[in-house]
Amino acid sequence: LPSLIVTGLLSSEIVYLILGAGKFVQGEGIMLTIYTLIAMIPEIFAQTLLPLYVRAFYARKNTKIPLYTSAIALLLTVVFAFVLTNYYGVIGLALSYGLASCIQLLVLVILLHKTTLFKLPFKQPLLILLATSIAGGSIYILNMINVELEYPLIMHLINFSIPFTIGAIVYLVSAYLLRIDTVSFVLNKLKRSN
């Protein structure tokens, strides 16, 4: 989740750092790429969690449900792509993948919840969301302050690095203060290794 917030808030700097050279920067291609990257965020989120839930069904020796949900997601992707590309072009294609994957993920979560004793943990995800929101707010505020330099590469590197670094520090501190399990575990391991 934190990486998705960074991707969304710093998407223009990421695209400029990776692709920002020559005529590509001067045309509308750079803005299209930035918007497409933002549109891919739901897809990245869903594809991060889908393998986990698919494996949960495989562990229960149930391969049909992941197969059916994948087939439905593929069909939805095609339908959404036809509809959304008419309105949004390439961005609509990226959105169609994300929507279909999020629907597939939601169906898998609901079915896993109904067919097992599996209960969704709510406390830790909410704490992660809170820490991510705090870090995202700091990145958003810092992203409004742009350094203007003669050299575009250095300018974009600074405009990415400062909000990213401070946002990461804010996330780690807020996650530690909120006692998020994974962050506390990693920090305790680092303390023991020193």
Side-chain angles (χ1 to χ4, degrees):
L1 192 59
S3 62
L4 297 177
I5 296 298
V6 169
T7 303
L9 292 174
L10 297 176
S11 59
S12 61
E13 301 303 332
I14 292 169
V15 171
Y16 275 108
L17 283 172
I18 295 172
L19 302 171
K23 293 181 181 178
F24 185 74
V25 176
Q26 297 164 352
E28 64 183 50
I30 193 99
M31 292 310 296
L32 186 63
T33 305
I34 291 168
Y35 294 140
T36 304
L37 177 61
I38 292 169
M40 288 297 293
I41 290 174
E43 171 71 9
I44 297 167
F45 171 75
Q47 290 300 327
T48 303
L49 294 176
L50 274 171
L52 175 72
Y53 286 96
V54 167
R55 287 187 189 116
F57 280 98
Y58 290 165
R60 301 199 63 217
K61 299 186 182 354
N62 185 344
T63 58
K64 290 181 181 178
I65 290 177
L67 174 69
Y68 295 150
T69 57
S70 293
I72 291 169
L74 181 63
L75 181 66
L76 286 174
T77 301
V78 171
V79 171
F80 289 151
F82 275 117
V83 173
L84 294 174
T85 53
N86 288 331
Y87 296 103
Y88 304 108
V90 173
I91 298 168
L93 189 60
L95 280 173
S96 67
Y97 281 113
L99 286 172
S101 294
C102 286
I103 291 170
Q104 179 186 6
L105 177 64
L106 183 63
V107 169
L108 285 174
V109 169
I110 290 169
L111 291 176
L112 186 63
H113 184 69
K114 285 187 175 188
T115 60
T116 65
L117 297 175
F118 174 76
K119 299 296 179 212
L120 291 173
F122 285 106
K123 182 181 178 189
Q124 287 296 312
L126 287 176
L127 292 176
I128 291 170
L129 183 62
L130 178 61
T132 302
S133 298
I134 294 168
S138 68
I139 290 172
Y140 179 77
I141 290 168
L142 289 168
N143 201 25
M144 286 195 260
I145 304 166
N146 283 324
V147 175
E148 296 292 331
L149 296 173
E150 186 177 336
Y151 303 103
L153 179 63
I154 295 171
M155 177 183 71
H156 290 296
L157 187 60
I158 291 171
N159 287 336
F160 172 80
S161 300
I162 292 172
F164 175 79
T165 304
I166 293 174
I169 291 168
V170 168
Y171 176 77
L172 289 173
V173 168
S174 58
Y176 182 75
L177 293 175
L178 293 170
R179 294 191 171 100
I180 294 175
D181 293 341
T182 51
V183 173
S184 298
F185 176 78
V186 169
L187 291 176
N188 287 332
K189 285 288 187 184
L190 288 172
K191 285 179 187 176
R192 288 183 195 154
S193 67
N194 290 334

